[in-house]
Amino acid sequence: MPEAAHHQPAHHLPDQAVGACIDVLSPPPGADPEDCLYVTLHLQGPASVRRHAVSTVLAPGDLLIGTSPHPAGLLREAGCRMVRFRLPCFYLAVRHGDVRRTGGLVARGNEGVGALASQFLRTLAARARDRAGAPGARPGDHLARSVSDLVAILVTELLEREEPEQPGGGSAELLARIRAHIEENLADPDLAPESIARAQHISVRYLHKLFQQDGMTVGQWVRQRRLDACRRELERPSRRQTSVSAVAHRWGFVSHSHFSRAFRDAYGVSPREWQAYAAQTDGRRPS
């Protein structure tokens, strides 16, 4: 945890002009620059946000997460100060459409993962102030990656809380258990709809129906989670000497050519290009 993050005075942090953002991480080669999430950190002053016909008063440290730099339903009064951050969805393992469908997310900055994310973002904002005009951080930047990981966890938690408000909320808990089972067994090359349904004591047909409601097939979900795991492993310095094939095999991909095609389709670069990109930028993080 960054030291003294709790004690960072609001007036020491930048308040951007309308539309300006701090880039937490630069998008990698081939990534869609528009495929981003925006995180707004409330610093001080009167502000509220209206979601689902309910107004929530914001406290310093609270976070607004959405697909636009201008959070929907946000009301700011004189003296209100905020700082905005931009994060490529590439690094988050979170679908842009999931957040867009909810109309944005609100996280309290004084509890749970929201508190950690808020503290890290304050530290990142202070560093951005000291490095005004510098380009966005790269994958080797440990603080930026920590922020990215915390935001990914936070968004996942917030989306899961939103599920009960959606039609068919009774199946949300089952779907969450199924996804947890998939996460625990990603490395198993035999992970398939049949084994997943059997472990959850449901029919394969019902399993497919649950994922169809969420807009993705079971196979697509498993493949994407495996790709995300491979991407994270390929960028780790400790794995630089590990072959792409070995990483793919470790996460359940049997065919190297299939893995390479799927990786490029998902991220716009080949596994080797991504590994090389991460290696080149590692160690060049700002002081």
Side-chain angles (χ1 to χ4, degrees), residues 123-166:
T123 301
L124 197 64
R127 192 179 68 180
R129 173 209 62 198
D130 297 335
R131 300 181 62 252
R138 298 302 182 98
D141 186 330
H142 296 327
L143 175 59
R145 286 315 310 266
S146 295
V147 168
S148 174
D149 291 342
L150 282 170
V151 171
I153 295 170
L154 180 60
V155 171
T156 299
E157 286 189 357
L158 293 172
L159 287 173
E160 288 176 354
R161 293 179 195 173
E162 294 281 314
E163 284 294 333
E165 300 180 13
Q166 307 300 325

Side-chain angles (χ1 to χ4, degrees), residues 70-264:
H70 310 291
L74 174 63
L75 298 176
R76 302 175 58 176
E77 298 183 20
C80 175
R81 299 183 62 244
M82 295 180 164
V83 59
R84 297 186 181 93
F85 304 84
R86 179 168 49 203
L87 257 170
C89 290
F90 177 92
Y91 298 106
L92 299 176
V94 173
R95 287 185 293 167
H96 186 276
D98 285 342
V99 178
R100 183 175 55 201
R101 189 168 60 248
T102 65
L105 301 166
V106 180
R108 290 300 188 184
N110 63 349
E111 59 184 23
V113 180
L116 289 172
S118 181
Q119 292 167 28
F120 273 71
L121 286 167
R122 281 177 177 270
T123 301
L124 197 64
R127 192 179 68 180
R129 173 209 62 198
D130 297 335
R131 300 181 62 252
R138 298 302 182 98
D141 186 330
H142 296 327
L143 175 59
R145 286 315 310 266
S146 295
V147 168
S148 174
D149 291 342
L150 282 170
V151 171
I153 295 170
L154 180 60
V155 171
T156 299
E157 286 189 357
L158 293 172
L159 287 173
E160 288 176 354
R161 293 179 195 173
E162 294 281 314
E163 284 294 333
E165 300 180 13
Q166 307 300 325
S171 62
E173 184 177 349
L174 174 58
L175 188 57
R177 289 202 306 270
I178 292 171
R179 288 175 174 172
H181 172 79
I182 290 173
E183 291 295 321
E184 293 170 0
N185 294 275
L186 276 180
D188 182 359
D190 294 325
L191 184 67
E194 291 76 15
S195 64
I196 296 170
R198 186 166 55 250
Q200 300 300 318
H201 308 289
I202 60 175
S203 68
V204 174
R205 181 178 179 181
Y206 184 50
L207 175 67
H208 285 303
K209 183 178 179 180
L210 287 171
F211 275 83
Q212 285 172 358
Q213 292 173 352
D214 197 49
M216 180 178 285
T217 68
V218 184
Q220 288 172 333
W221 179 267
V222 171
R223 182 171 63 251
Q224 186 58 54
R225 299 306 298 143
R226 283 174 167 163
L227 287 171
D228 289 335
C230 290
R231 174 182 59 77
R232 289 192 297 269
E233 185 162 346
L234 286 170
E235 70 189 27
R236 292 175 186 166
S238 61
R239 295 296 188 186
R240 294 288 152 74
Q241 304 305 316
T242 305
S243 70
V244 170
S245 295
V247 172
H249 181 74
R250 183 178 294 111
W251 289 105
F253 286 98
V254 177
S255 168
H256 174 72
S257 59
H258 169 70
F259 166 67
S260 295
R261 286 194 302 271
F263 194 97
R264 182 179 288 278

Side-chain angles (χ1 to χ4, degrees), residues 23-41:
D23 284 309
V24 177
L25 287 167
S26 300
D32 182 354
E34 300 300 319
D35 189 19
C36 295
L37 290 186
Y38 295 85
V39 182
T40 300
L41 169 64

